[in-house]
Amino acid sequence: KGDSPLGPHVDGIRARGLDQPVAVCRGHLSQVQFVAFSSSDRLLMSTAWDHTTRLWDPLRGEQLVSIDRLGSRFSADDRWLAFEDSSVVFGRCELASAGECRMLRTSPSAGSVVDVAFSPDGKLLSAASRRAGAHVWNVETAKSLARFNVYAETRCVDFTPDGRHLITSGRASVDRWPIDSLTTGPPSDFLSQRVILAETEFPTETALSQDGNRLVASVAGDSIKVFRTEALASPVPMTSIPSVSWFVAISPNGRWVAASEKRNADIPVWDAETGVLLTNLRSTDSFGALVSFSPDNRWLVVTEYGRFVFYETGTWRELRRLPLQDSV
C-alpha cells in the first residue's frame, strides 16, 4: 500500500508482475522474521530465527553484511540500525554511508582470484582469475566493463600510474591494454601490446615500479626481465637468474629487482638498469619467500617461517627480524 520503498524502480516491478521478483535474497539458515527497507531504498534488512540480521542490495539480491544481532529498524537518515539482543539488551549499529561497499563477482568457473588492482583514480577495479582471465569493473556502479581471457592461466593485473593502461600477465607473456578501449569498445576491439617472454607453460609474475616507468616480469625457470612500460619490446634481462623463480619485486624508485627461488631459498637482487647481480641473500624458507620493498626504498623485506627479515638496501645487510605475532 502507498508509496513503494523501491521508489523509481516501482515501474519495473509493476511491468513484471508480482509473480516475477526483481531479486531473491538467499542466505538465512532458518525462517525469516522481519524485513525493512532503508529510507534511501538502497538497503534491505532481514532478520531470522538463525539470530542474524542481514543487509542486502535489494536490486541484485546480494548480501552485503551479516551481524549476530536482531535488527529492528533504520534511523530516518539511514545512519543507524537499531537492534536488540534480548528483552533487556538493545542498542544501535552505525552504518557505512555512501556506496563504497560492493560485491563484484567473476564467473562461477573462474577459479581463484589471484590478483586485484585499483586504477589510480579509484574508479576501476581489475581482478585476475586463473581460469577466467582479467575482469574490469566500474567501482561505483559495480558494472562489468570488460572481461578477456588471453592466457591459459592469468596471474597479475596492474594499472599504470597515469591510468592509461592495464597490464596483465599469464603464461610466459605480458600484455598492455589501453583503458579507453576496455571501457568503450566490445571485446573484439580490445587491442594489446604483447610481449612473449619464453616458450614455456610456466606462469608469469609481474610488478610495477612506483612511477610506473618500469615493469619487472619473471617466468619461472626461464627469465627475469625489466621493461620500460612505454617500450616493452626492449627489455633488460637479469643475469644469473634462479633456477625456478617464485615471487618478484621492483623497488619503488625502479632501481633494484629482487626475486625468490622455490627450491633453494636464495634471494637474488639485481641492478634494474644493467641486469647485473648485486647480491644473493639467504633465506630459511625453502618454498619461496615473499619479497617486497618498502615505499621509501630503504628496506627489502623477506618473509620466512614465522617472521619478517629486513635488509638495508644498498648494503644488503640484515638489520632486523620481526616475529609475525609482533607485527599486528
Side-chain angles (χ1 to χ4, degrees), residues 3-188:
D3 294 335
S4 167
L6 286 178
H9 310 293
V10 66
D11 291 338
I13 296 175
R14 287 171 179 163
R16 297 180 189 180
L18 293 178
D19 60 338
Q20 300 181 39
V22 173
V24 178
C25 303
R26 293 186 173 91
H28 280 298
L29 303 179
S30 60
Q31 185 177 0
V32 174
Q33 296 174 281
F34 178 71
V35 294
F37 282 96
S38 64
S39 300
S40 66
D41 303 336
R42 299 182 66 176
L43 295 175
L44 173 66
M45 177 194 71
S46 64
T47 64
W49 289 108
D50 59 9
H51 200 74
T52 65
T53 295
R54 300 174 191 241
L55 300 182
W56 312 83
D57 181 325
L59 297 181
R60 297 175 179 269
E62 293 181 349
Q63 180 178 303
L64 303 176
V65 69
S66 175
I67 60 175
D68 293 326
R69 300 176 186 273
L70 294 180
S72 175
R73 65 183 65 226
F74 294 95
S75 63
D77 60 2
D78 290 340
R79 182 181 176 186
W80 305 97
L81 175 66
F83 70 86
E84 59 178 285
D85 271 347
S86 66
S87 58
V88 295
V89 178
F90 61 92
R92 64 181 184 174
C93 297
E94 186 174 10
L95 301 175
S97 60
E100 288 81 7
C101 296
R102 290 289 185 269
M103 183 176 291
L104 306 177
R105 297 184 183 276
T106 58
S107 65
S109 61
S112 59
V113 174
V114 293
D115 197 21
V116 294
F118 277 99
S119 61
D121 60 10
K123 294 181 179 180
L124 303 179
L125 176 69
S126 182
S129 302
R130 290 195 177 187
R131 294 197 299 271
H135 203 150
V136 182
W137 293 269
N138 179 301
V139 175
E140 183 176 353
T141 64
K143 179 182 178 182
S144 174
L145 301 177
R147 179 185 296 175
F148 45 98
N149 193 4
V150 294
Y151 313 109
E153 180 180 349
T154 305
R155 296 290 292 188
C156 299
V157 289
D158 248 316
F159 288 92
T160 55
D162 60 10
R164 295 173 53 199
H165 295 91
L166 175 70
I167 295 177
T168 64
S169 68
R171 289 196 177 178
S173 61
V174 174
D175 286 83
R176 186 180 65 189
W177 309 82
I179 295 299
D180 288 345
S181 68
L182 297 182
T183 56
T184 60
S188 60

